[in-house]
Amino acid sequence: MDRRSVVAGAALVALAALLVTLGAAVRPLFVPDRAPEREILSATEIAFLQDMAAHHEQALLMVQSLDPGVSPVIARLAAQIDDVQRVELGTVLGWLRLANALPSNPQPMAWLHEPAAGHHGAQVAATAEPVDTAMGMATRAELDALAAARGRDAELLFLRLVQRHHYGGVAMAGGADALLTAGPVKQAAREMVTEQTKEIGVIGLLLAQYG
């Protein structure tokens, strides 16, 4: 084989290698990656977080509506509720933004009303309760009454509204815990159950003192 043939053969090999390299480089431009995007949050997680955002927002509104002249014990409880719920609300809204989801639920509590397999095979049954009742939410009239109340009347109304509100929150978070199998939203729901159950106990003691 003469020198010219060797050079031509080497050139062909180099050209083939170049074409392979170029093909690998430009392939993504013409053949898009078909790998499915990983779901950030499930539909149940999103709906639960949306409902819990509305729930927390009302708790903060109740604290803001409370008479500033209430006793130090009630004021400390209100401040604790404000601190905890404000932090949790920020986390909830952050997760919803991350999932590119709306902050409000167009069908409140529908995720919990539909029978579904829960944790360890448990069932989350449907309920005929109105949505606001199931969530423990205060009515507009009750919020207006709280804003107008003063002294002992304000303290009693605040305690009763927050107690009912927390019972609703515990039911919501407990339902999410039963429906979800794992993940940070499930863990947050469990922590909400623990925290709000403790506050329900404190509120019960305070109401007992009021007779």
Side-chain angles (χ1 to χ4, degrees), residues 7-34:
V7 172
L12 287 174
V13 171
L15 179 60
L18 177 62
L19 290 175
V20 170
T21 302
L22 288 175
V26 303
R27 183 178 182 277
L29 299 177
F30 300 99
V31 183
D33 188 0
R34 298 296 183 183

Side-chain angles (χ1 to χ4, degrees), residues 137-187:
M137 301 285 274
T139 65
R140 182 69 259 175
E142 287 172 330
L143 292 173
D144 290 343
L146 177 62
R150 292 293 178 268
R152 182 182 177 87
D153 289 341
E155 294 171 355
L156 280 170
L157 183 55
F158 176 75
L159 290 173
R160 288 167 180 158
L161 290 179
V162 172
Q163 184 185 55
R164 188 180 72 199
H165 198 266
H166 276 16
Y167 277 128
V170 168
M172 291 166 62
D177 181 32
L179 287 169
L180 303 177
T181 57
V185 176
K186 178 181 176 70
Q187 182 60 36

Side-chain angles (χ1 to χ4, degrees), residues 1-12:
M1 181 180 295
D2 58 19
R3 179 180 177 80
R4 183 176 298 176
S5 298
V6 172
V7 172
L12 287 174

